[in-house]
Short mmCIF file of all heavy atoms in Angstrom, two decimals:
data_model
loop_
_atom_site.label_atom_id
_atom_site.label_comp_id
_atom_site.label_asym_id
_atom_site.label_seq_id
_atom_site.Cartn_x
_atom_site.Cartn_y
_atom_site.Cartn_z
N ILE A 23 12.59 -12.66 -15.19
CA ILE A 23 11.65 -12.02 -14.29
C ILE A 23 10.30 -11.90 -14.98
O ILE A 23 10.20 -11.44 -16.11
CB ILE A 23 12.16 -10.62 -13.89
CG1 ILE A 23 13.55 -10.73 -13.25
CG2 ILE A 23 11.18 -9.94 -12.96
CD1 ILE A 23 14.23 -9.41 -13.03
N ASP A 24 9.28 -12.33 -14.29
CA ASP A 24 7.92 -12.27 -14.83
C ASP A 24 7.23 -11.03 -14.28
O ASP A 24 6.91 -10.95 -13.11
CB ASP A 24 7.17 -13.54 -14.42
CG ASP A 24 5.74 -13.56 -14.92
OD1 ASP A 24 5.33 -12.63 -15.65
OD2 ASP A 24 5.02 -14.51 -14.58
N PHE A 25 6.99 -10.07 -15.15
CA PHE A 25 6.33 -8.83 -14.76
C PHE A 25 4.85 -8.84 -15.13
O PHE A 25 4.20 -7.80 -15.11
CB PHE A 25 6.99 -7.62 -15.42
CG PHE A 25 8.33 -7.27 -14.83
CD1 PHE A 25 9.49 -7.50 -15.53
CD2 PHE A 25 8.41 -6.71 -13.58
CE1 PHE A 25 10.72 -7.18 -14.99
CE2 PHE A 25 9.63 -6.38 -13.03
CZ PHE A 25 10.79 -6.61 -13.74
N SER A 26 4.30 -10.00 -15.45
CA SER A 26 2.93 -10.05 -15.97
C SER A 26 1.89 -9.52 -14.98
O SER A 26 0.86 -9.01 -15.39
CB SER A 26 2.58 -11.46 -16.41
OG SER A 26 2.63 -12.36 -15.33
N LYS A 27 2.13 -9.61 -13.70
CA LYS A 27 1.17 -9.11 -12.71
C LYS A 27 1.72 -7.91 -11.95
O LYS A 27 1.22 -7.56 -10.88
CB LYS A 27 0.82 -10.22 -11.71
CG LYS A 27 0.14 -11.41 -12.31
CD LYS A 27 -1.27 -11.06 -12.70
CE LYS A 27 -1.96 -12.30 -13.25
NZ LYS A 27 -3.24 -11.98 -13.82
N ALA A 28 2.73 -7.27 -12.51
CA ALA A 28 3.40 -6.17 -11.81
C ALA A 28 2.44 -5.06 -11.41
O ALA A 28 2.50 -4.53 -10.31
CB ALA A 28 4.52 -5.60 -12.66
N PHE A 29 1.53 -4.70 -12.30
CA PHE A 29 0.61 -3.61 -11.99
C PHE A 29 -0.31 -3.95 -10.84
O PHE A 29 -0.80 -3.07 -10.14
CB PHE A 29 -0.21 -3.24 -13.23
CG PHE A 29 0.54 -2.41 -14.22
CD1 PHE A 29 1.34 -3.00 -15.18
CD2 PHE A 29 0.46 -1.02 -14.18
CE1 PHE A 29 2.04 -2.23 -16.09
CE2 PHE A 29 1.16 -0.24 -15.09
CZ PHE A 29 1.95 -0.86 -16.04
N ASP A 30 -0.56 -5.25 -10.62
CA ASP A 30 -1.48 -5.67 -9.56
C ASP A 30 -0.81 -5.92 -8.22
O ASP A 30 -1.48 -5.87 -7.19
CB ASP A 30 -2.19 -6.97 -9.97
CG ASP A 30 -3.02 -6.81 -11.24
OD1 ASP A 30 -3.57 -5.71 -11.44
OD2 ASP A 30 -3.10 -7.77 -12.01
N LEU A 31 0.47 -6.22 -8.21
CA LEU A 31 1.10 -6.74 -7.00
C LEU A 31 2.04 -5.80 -6.27
O LEU A 31 2.56 -6.16 -5.21
CB LEU A 31 1.85 -8.03 -7.36
CG LEU A 31 0.98 -9.16 -7.91
CD1 LEU A 31 1.82 -10.36 -8.31
CD2 LEU A 31 -0.08 -9.57 -6.90
N VAL A 32 2.29 -4.62 -6.78
CA VAL A 32 3.22 -3.71 -6.12
C VAL A 32 2.59 -3.20 -4.81
O VAL A 32 1.56 -2.54 -4.83
CB VAL A 32 3.54 -2.50 -7.03
CG1 VAL A 32 4.35 -1.45 -6.28
CG2 VAL A 32 4.26 -2.95 -8.28
N PRO A 33 3.21 -3.54 -3.66
CA PRO A 33 2.66 -3.06 -2.38
C PRO A 33 2.86 -1.55 -2.22
O PRO A 33 3.97 -1.05 -2.40
CB PRO A 33 3.44 -3.83 -1.32
CG PRO A 33 4.53 -4.55 -2.02
CD PRO A 33 4.37 -4.38 -3.49
N HIS A 34 1.80 -0.84 -1.91
CA HIS A 34 1.88 0.62 -1.83
C HIS A 34 2.91 1.10 -0.83
O HIS A 34 3.67 2.03 -1.13
CB HIS A 34 0.51 1.19 -1.44
CG HIS A 34 -0.54 0.99 -2.48
ND1 HIS A 34 -1.87 1.12 -2.21
CD2 HIS A 34 -0.46 0.66 -3.80
CE1 HIS A 34 -2.57 0.89 -3.30
NE2 HIS A 34 -1.74 0.59 -4.27
N ASP A 35 2.97 0.49 0.35
CA ASP A 35 3.90 0.96 1.38
C ASP A 35 5.35 0.85 0.92
O ASP A 35 6.14 1.77 1.10
CB ASP A 35 3.67 0.26 2.71
CG ASP A 35 3.72 -1.26 2.62
OD1 ASP A 35 3.69 -1.81 1.50
OD2 ASP A 35 3.78 -1.91 3.68
N ARG A 36 5.71 -0.27 0.31
CA ARG A 36 7.10 -0.44 -0.15
C ARG A 36 7.41 0.49 -1.31
O ARG A 36 8.50 1.04 -1.42
CB ARG A 36 7.35 -1.89 -0.55
CG ARG A 36 7.35 -2.80 0.69
CD ARG A 36 7.72 -4.21 0.39
NE ARG A 36 9.06 -4.31 -0.12
CZ ARG A 36 9.53 -5.33 -0.82
NH1 ARG A 36 8.75 -6.36 -1.07
NH2 ARG A 36 10.78 -5.36 -1.24
N LEU A 37 6.44 0.68 -2.21
CA LEU A 37 6.63 1.59 -3.34
C LEU A 37 6.88 3.01 -2.84
O LEU A 37 7.82 3.69 -3.29
CB LEU A 37 5.42 1.56 -4.27
CG LEU A 37 5.39 2.60 -5.38
CD1 LEU A 37 6.58 2.44 -6.32
CD2 LEU A 37 4.09 2.52 -6.16
N LEU A 38 6.07 3.46 -1.89
CA LEU A 38 6.23 4.82 -1.37
C LEU A 38 7.56 4.98 -0.64
O LEU A 38 8.21 6.02 -0.73
CB LEU A 38 5.05 5.17 -0.46
CG LEU A 38 3.72 5.32 -1.20
CD1 LEU A 38 2.56 5.38 -0.21
CD2 LEU A 38 3.73 6.53 -2.11
N THR A 39 7.99 3.93 0.08
CA THR A 39 9.30 3.97 0.75
C THR A 39 10.42 4.10 -0.28
O THR A 39 11.34 4.90 -0.11
CB THR A 39 9.50 2.71 1.60
OG1 THR A 39 8.48 2.66 2.60
CG2 THR A 39 10.86 2.69 2.26
N LYS A 40 10.34 3.31 -1.35
CA LYS A 40 11.37 3.38 -2.39
C LYS A 40 11.35 4.74 -3.09
O LYS A 40 12.40 5.29 -3.41
CB LYS A 40 11.17 2.26 -3.41
CG LYS A 40 11.57 0.90 -2.90
CD LYS A 40 11.44 -0.14 -3.99
CE LYS A 40 11.98 -1.48 -3.52
NZ LYS A 40 12.17 -2.41 -4.63
N LEU A 41 10.16 5.26 -3.32
CA LEU A 41 10.06 6.56 -3.98
C LEU A 41 10.70 7.64 -3.12
O LEU A 41 11.48 8.46 -3.61
CB LEU A 41 8.59 6.88 -4.26
CG LEU A 41 8.30 8.15 -5.05
CD1 LEU A 41 8.91 8.07 -6.44
CD2 LEU A 41 6.80 8.38 -5.15
N ALA A 42 10.42 7.63 -1.82
CA ALA A 42 11.01 8.61 -0.91
C ALA A 42 12.52 8.46 -0.85
O ALA A 42 13.26 9.45 -0.84
CB ALA A 42 10.40 8.46 0.49
N ALA A 43 13.01 7.21 -0.83
CA ALA A 43 14.45 6.96 -0.76
C ALA A 43 15.17 7.33 -2.05
O ALA A 43 16.38 7.53 -2.04
CB ALA A 43 14.71 5.49 -0.43
N SER A 44 14.43 7.45 -3.13
CA SER A 44 15.07 7.76 -4.42
C SER A 44 15.48 9.23 -4.53
O SER A 44 16.18 9.61 -5.46
CB SER A 44 14.13 7.40 -5.59
OG SER A 44 13.07 8.33 -5.66
N GLY A 45 15.01 10.04 -3.59
CA GLY A 45 15.42 11.43 -3.57
C GLY A 45 14.43 12.39 -4.21
O GLY A 45 14.73 13.59 -4.32
N VAL A 46 13.27 11.92 -4.64
CA VAL A 46 12.30 12.85 -5.20
C VAL A 46 11.75 13.74 -4.09
O VAL A 46 11.78 13.38 -2.91
CB VAL A 46 11.13 12.14 -5.93
CG1 VAL A 46 11.64 11.30 -7.08
CG2 VAL A 46 10.30 11.31 -5.00
N ASP A 47 11.28 14.88 -4.48
CA ASP A 47 10.74 15.85 -3.53
C ASP A 47 9.61 15.23 -2.71
O ASP A 47 8.80 14.47 -3.24
CB ASP A 47 10.23 17.07 -4.31
CG ASP A 47 9.87 18.21 -3.39
OD1 ASP A 47 8.70 18.24 -2.95
OD2 ASP A 47 10.75 19.04 -3.11
N SER A 48 9.55 15.57 -1.44
CA SER A 48 8.55 14.97 -0.55
C SER A 48 7.13 15.30 -0.99
O SER A 48 6.20 14.52 -0.74
CB SER A 48 8.78 15.41 0.89
OG SER A 48 8.65 16.81 1.01
N THR A 49 6.92 16.43 -1.64
CA THR A 49 5.57 16.76 -2.12
C THR A 49 5.13 15.79 -3.21
O THR A 49 3.94 15.48 -3.32
CB THR A 49 5.48 18.20 -2.64
OG1 THR A 49 6.46 18.40 -3.66
CG2 THR A 49 5.69 19.21 -1.53
N VAL A 50 6.07 15.29 -3.99
CA VAL A 50 5.75 14.29 -5.02
C VAL A 50 5.35 12.98 -4.35
O VAL A 50 4.39 12.33 -4.77
CB VAL A 50 6.93 14.07 -5.99
CG1 VAL A 50 6.65 12.93 -6.95
CG2 VAL A 50 7.24 15.36 -6.75
N VAL A 51 6.09 12.60 -3.30
CA VAL A 51 5.76 11.37 -2.57
C VAL A 51 4.35 11.48 -1.98
O VAL A 51 3.55 10.54 -2.08
CB VAL A 51 6.79 11.08 -1.46
CG1 VAL A 51 6.40 9.85 -0.66
CG2 VAL A 51 8.19 10.90 -2.07
N VAL A 52 4.02 12.62 -1.40
CA VAL A 52 2.68 12.83 -0.84
C VAL A 52 1.63 12.75 -1.95
O VAL A 52 0.58 12.14 -1.78
CB VAL A 52 2.60 14.18 -0.08
CG1 VAL A 52 1.16 14.53 0.29
CG2 VAL A 52 3.49 14.15 1.15
N TRP A 53 1.91 13.36 -3.08
CA TRP A 53 0.96 13.34 -4.19
C TRP A 53 0.72 11.90 -4.67
O TRP A 53 -0.42 11.50 -4.88
CB TRP A 53 1.48 14.21 -5.34
CG TRP A 53 0.53 14.30 -6.48
CD1 TRP A 53 -0.55 15.12 -6.57
CD2 TRP A 53 0.59 13.54 -7.68
NE1 TRP A 53 -1.19 14.90 -7.77
CE2 TRP A 53 -0.52 13.95 -8.47
CE3 TRP A 53 1.45 12.55 -8.17
CZ2 TRP A 53 -0.77 13.39 -9.72
CZ3 TRP A 53 1.18 12.02 -9.42
CH2 TRP A 53 0.09 12.44 -10.17
N VAL A 54 1.80 11.12 -4.82
CA VAL A 54 1.67 9.72 -5.24
C VAL A 54 0.91 8.93 -4.19
O VAL A 54 0.07 8.10 -4.52
CB VAL A 54 3.04 9.09 -5.55
CG1 VAL A 54 2.93 7.59 -5.77
CG2 VAL A 54 3.67 9.77 -6.77
N ARG A 55 1.19 9.20 -2.92
CA ARG A 55 0.47 8.52 -1.84
C ARG A 55 -1.03 8.79 -1.97
O ARG A 55 -1.85 7.87 -1.87
CB ARG A 55 0.98 8.97 -0.48
CG ARG A 55 0.31 8.26 0.67
CD ARG A 55 0.74 8.83 2.03
NE ARG A 55 0.09 8.13 3.10
CZ ARG A 55 -1.19 8.27 3.43
NH1 ARG A 55 -1.96 9.11 2.77
NH2 ARG A 55 -1.71 7.59 4.43
N GLU A 56 -1.40 10.04 -2.18
CA GLU A 56 -2.81 10.39 -2.34
C GLU A 56 -3.42 9.72 -3.57
O GLU A 56 -4.60 9.39 -3.58
CB GLU A 56 -2.98 11.91 -2.42
CG GLU A 56 -2.63 12.64 -1.15
CD GLU A 56 -3.51 12.23 0.02
OE1 GLU A 56 -4.74 12.08 -0.18
OE2 GLU A 56 -2.98 12.04 1.13
N PHE A 57 -2.61 9.54 -4.60
CA PHE A 57 -3.06 8.88 -5.83
C PHE A 57 -3.35 7.40 -5.59
O PHE A 57 -4.28 6.84 -6.16
CB PHE A 57 -1.97 9.05 -6.91
CG PHE A 57 -2.25 8.39 -8.22
CD1 PHE A 57 -3.26 8.84 -9.04
CD2 PHE A 57 -1.49 7.31 -8.63
CE1 PHE A 57 -3.51 8.23 -10.27
CE2 PHE A 57 -1.73 6.69 -9.85
CZ PHE A 57 -2.75 7.16 -10.67
N LEU A 58 -2.57 6.74 -4.74
CA LEU A 58 -2.67 5.30 -4.53
C LEU A 58 -3.53 4.89 -3.34
O LEU A 58 -4.32 3.96 -3.44
CB LEU A 58 -1.27 4.70 -4.33
CG LEU A 58 -0.31 4.73 -5.50
CD1 LEU A 58 1.04 4.19 -5.07
CD2 LEU A 58 -0.87 3.94 -6.67
N VAL A 59 -3.35 5.55 -2.22
CA VAL A 59 -3.94 5.11 -0.97
C VAL A 59 -5.42 5.51 -0.91
O VAL A 59 -5.80 6.60 -1.34
CB VAL A 59 -3.16 5.68 0.23
CG1 VAL A 59 -3.83 5.33 1.54
CG2 VAL A 59 -1.73 5.16 0.21
N GLY A 60 -6.22 4.60 -0.37
CA GLY A 60 -7.63 4.88 -0.20
C GLY A 60 -8.51 4.40 -1.35
O GLY A 60 -9.71 4.59 -1.35
N ARG A 61 -7.90 3.78 -2.34
CA ARG A 61 -8.69 3.25 -3.46
C ARG A 61 -9.44 2.00 -3.01
O ARG A 61 -8.98 1.27 -2.14
CB ARG A 61 -7.78 2.89 -4.64
CG ARG A 61 -7.19 4.08 -5.34
CD ARG A 61 -6.30 3.64 -6.51
NE ARG A 61 -5.84 4.77 -7.25
CZ ARG A 61 -6.45 5.28 -8.32
NH1 ARG A 61 -7.55 4.72 -8.78
NH2 ARG A 61 -5.96 6.32 -8.95
N THR A 62 -10.59 1.79 -3.62
CA THR A 62 -11.38 0.60 -3.34
C THR A 62 -11.80 -0.02 -4.67
O THR A 62 -11.69 0.61 -5.72
CB THR A 62 -12.64 0.94 -2.52
OG1 THR A 62 -13.44 1.86 -3.26
CG2 THR A 62 -12.28 1.51 -1.16
N LYS A 63 -12.27 -1.25 -4.58
CA LYS A 63 -12.80 -1.90 -5.78
C LYS A 63 -13.98 -2.76 -5.38
O LYS A 63 -14.14 -3.15 -4.22
CB LYS A 63 -11.74 -2.74 -6.49
CG LYS A 63 -11.24 -3.95 -5.71
CD LYS A 63 -10.21 -4.70 -6.51
CE LYS A 63 -9.58 -5.80 -5.67
NZ LYS A 63 -8.55 -6.50 -6.41
N ARG A 64 -14.84 -3.04 -6.37
CA ARG A 64 -15.94 -3.96 -6.20
C ARG A 64 -16.18 -4.62 -7.55
O ARG A 64 -15.76 -4.11 -8.58
CB ARG A 64 -17.23 -3.29 -5.73
CG ARG A 64 -17.19 -1.85 -5.65
CD ARG A 64 -18.30 -1.12 -5.00
NE ARG A 64 -19.68 -1.38 -5.33
CZ ARG A 64 -20.68 -0.77 -4.77
NH1 ARG A 64 -20.44 0.12 -3.83
NH2 ARG A 64 -21.91 -1.02 -5.09
N VAL A 65 -16.81 -5.76 -7.50
CA VAL A 65 -17.08 -6.49 -8.74
C VAL A 65 -18.59 -6.76 -8.84
O VAL A 65 -19.30 -6.80 -7.84
CB VAL A 65 -16.30 -7.83 -8.81
CG1 VAL A 65 -14.81 -7.58 -8.84
CG2 VAL A 65 -16.66 -8.75 -7.66
N ARG A 66 -19.03 -6.93 -10.06
CA ARG A 66 -20.42 -7.25 -10.31
C ARG A 66 -20.48 -8.67 -10.86
O ARG A 66 -19.84 -8.99 -11.85
CB ARG A 66 -21.02 -6.27 -11.32
CG ARG A 66 -22.51 -6.50 -11.57
CD ARG A 66 -23.04 -5.52 -12.60
NE ARG A 66 -22.75 -4.14 -12.27
CZ ARG A 66 -23.51 -3.33 -11.51
NH1 ARG A 66 -24.62 -3.80 -10.99
NH2 ARG A 66 -23.18 -2.08 -11.30
N VAL A 67 -21.24 -9.53 -10.19
CA VAL A 67 -21.43 -10.91 -10.62
C VAL A 67 -22.93 -11.15 -10.74
O VAL A 67 -23.67 -10.99 -9.75
CB VAL A 67 -20.81 -11.92 -9.64
CG1 VAL A 67 -21.05 -13.34 -10.09
CG2 VAL A 67 -19.31 -11.66 -9.48
N ARG A 68 -23.36 -11.50 -11.93
CA ARG A 68 -24.79 -11.74 -12.20
C ARG A 68 -25.68 -10.60 -11.69
O ARG A 68 -26.71 -10.82 -11.06
CB ARG A 68 -25.24 -13.06 -11.61
CG ARG A 68 -24.55 -14.26 -12.23
CD ARG A 68 -25.13 -15.56 -11.70
NE ARG A 68 -24.25 -16.65 -12.08
CZ ARG A 68 -23.88 -17.61 -11.29
NH1 ARG A 68 -24.32 -17.67 -10.05
NH2 ARG A 68 -23.09 -18.56 -11.72
N GLY A 69 -25.22 -9.39 -11.94
CA GLY A 69 -26.01 -8.23 -11.56
C GLY A 69 -25.87 -7.80 -10.11
O GLY A 69 -26.36 -6.75 -9.72
N GLN A 70 -25.21 -8.60 -9.29
CA GLN A 70 -25.03 -8.26 -7.87
C GLN A 70 -23.66 -7.62 -7.65
O GLN A 70 -22.64 -8.14 -8.08
CB GLN A 70 -25.14 -9.53 -7.00
CG GLN A 70 -26.49 -10.19 -7.05
CD GLN A 70 -27.56 -9.30 -6.43
OE1 GLN A 70 -27.36 -8.67 -5.40
NE2 GLN A 70 -28.72 -9.25 -7.08
#
């Protein structure tokens, strides 16, 4: 198994579903959702 891109490729929806199914408290699932969902990114190329 190649985990080299694991940090980049984990889909948030499936991760949250698995986390909820694992039996952790729902407040933890909500907290993790808030940690992951709504993030954005941008890149700078030649100053732009």
